[in-house]
């Protein structure tokens, strides 16, 4: 049985942990205060502004791990763009800070409620996964699909930029009440 | 009856013309050689690299019109990004070249087949519309919904950047055979 370590305890942390547990993974929740990281897959389920503190706290314990960045680095001061460079992404920024880890982008295009329900409208919820390591992507996809969701390889970690644009767009649509926080974009194969 | 002018004669031109005609609009197709523009709404249904030639040909005939940019400015040399500045969009570039027109971004997140069928999987096809002029967006939304599709206001023209990221992502997924060219992202309200 694989172990998934989730740093954070909010709605997204619980929703992702629920998917992993439903698929048979052992799930451990870790706090911002640090601790032993038993999982090979470590999900940063914290808001983007807290990521640096997580990296500072866990540091070398993340070496060799698959780190999953789920953040949408929205600039909440303007709500009109992202708080990362236009030609980059939160995932790329995090990967640069964790050269000994394998960073994936995933879950940022899923509202938490769609991870819990397993559906977006009539469609099964799809988790889009971007990263430069095929084995790491396959491992995460296995956890996701065992938990009853679809997983789709969205390409290299460079595609995190597009995933973060999609996540931001979806948040703006929900904030404007044009879609529900329990729905959003579904991927139809 | 409103008139919609469509510049171009490819699959997207015909698909968008079909939607407008189904909704009761008069539709005229214009070529790259120029001609009289009768529509208040003018759709640039040409690939992004041809837009400059369209602007050069039609020029002042576009003053006062609602110009709809449907392009996905993919950098086909690398297939790894867009051929517009990272902090901008094709729509913003076009708007700067047409200061006397009202430029909207729309249809770039829809594969042509989903405009023809009216569905993405089980969901009604949604046309996302970004722009800075609410009346122009409402006019285009009216044409789209009369034709049987959903229309959603995606915000200001600045959101064209996110729409183009979404369009590019969807194209990469189809090119990698992870989704069909007849499906893709559906928006569930």
């Amino acid at each position: 049985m694989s172990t998934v370590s989730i740093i954070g305890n909010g709605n997204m942390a619980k929703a992702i942990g629920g998917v992993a547990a439903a698929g048979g993974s052992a799930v451990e929740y870790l706090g911002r205060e640090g601790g032993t990281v038993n999982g090979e897959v470590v999900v940063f389920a914290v808001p983007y502004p807290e990521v640096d503190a997580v990296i500072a706290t866990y540091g070398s314990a993340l070496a060799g791990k698959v780190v999953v960045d789920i953040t949408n680095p929205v600039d909440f001061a303007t709500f009109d763009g992202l708080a990362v460079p236009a030609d980059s992404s939160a995932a790329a920024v995090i990967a640069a800070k964790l050269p000994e880890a394998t960073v994936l982008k995933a879950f940022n295009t899923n509202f938490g409620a769609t991870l819990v329900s397993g559906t977006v409208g009539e469609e099964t919820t799809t988790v889009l996964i971007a990263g430069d390591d095929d084995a790491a992507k396959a491992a995460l996809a296995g956890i996701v699909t065992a938990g009853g969701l679809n997983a789709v390889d969205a390409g290299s970690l460079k595609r995190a930029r597009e995933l973060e644009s999609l996540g931001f767009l979806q948040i703006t649509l929900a904030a404007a009440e044009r879609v529900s926080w329990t729905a959003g974009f579904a991927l139809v194969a």
Side-chain angles (χ1 to χ4, degrees), chain A:
Chain A
M1 186 192 290
S2 66
T3 298
V4 176
S5 300
I6 298 180
I7 300 174
N9 58 7
N11 288 341
M12 285 298 288
K14 291 169 188 165
I16 294 167
V19 170
S25 292
V27 177
E28 64 177 15
Y29 293 90
L30 299 171
R32 290 157 176 77
E33 70 281 7
T36 303
V37 180
N38 293 298
E40 284 308 299
V41 173
V42 183
V43 180
F44 280 12
V46 299
Y48 183 66
E50 297 183 29
V51 166
D52 278 351
V54 167
I55 291 174
T57 299
Y58 285 92
S60 60
L62 301 170
K65 306 291 189 183
V66 174
V67 168
V68 182
D69 164 35
I70 75 162
T71 64
N72 282 303
V74 177
D75 181 347
F76 285 105
T78 65
F79 207 63
D80 198 30
L82 298 179
V84 290
D87 61 351
S88 185
S89 65
V93 170
I94 292 169
K97 292 176 178 174
L98 291 172
E100 295 182 72
T102 301
V103 173
L104 303 179
K105 187 87 198 183
F107 298 109
N108 77 295
T109 65
N110 305 112
F111 287 147
T114 70
L115 297 173
V116 174
S117 68
T119 57
V120 180
E122 301 295 315
E123 304 292 336
T124 299
T125 300
T126 295
V127 178
L128 291 160
I129 305 171
D132 292 332
D133 186 304
D134 286 344
K137 287 193 282 190
L140 181 59
I143 291 166
V144 165
T145 56
L149 307 184
N150 292 333
V152 165
D153 182 347
S156 73
L157 196 66
K158 198 171 174 192
R159 289 290 80 72
R161 186 180 156 214
E162 283 73 34
L163 296 184
E164 292 174 16
S165 287
L166 174 53
F168 172 52
L169 177 66
Q170 187 172 242
I171 288 168
T172 66
L173 292 174
E177 300 187 350
R178 286 168 191 143
V179 302
S180 158
W181 293 100
T182 61
F185 287 101
L187 189 63
V188 181

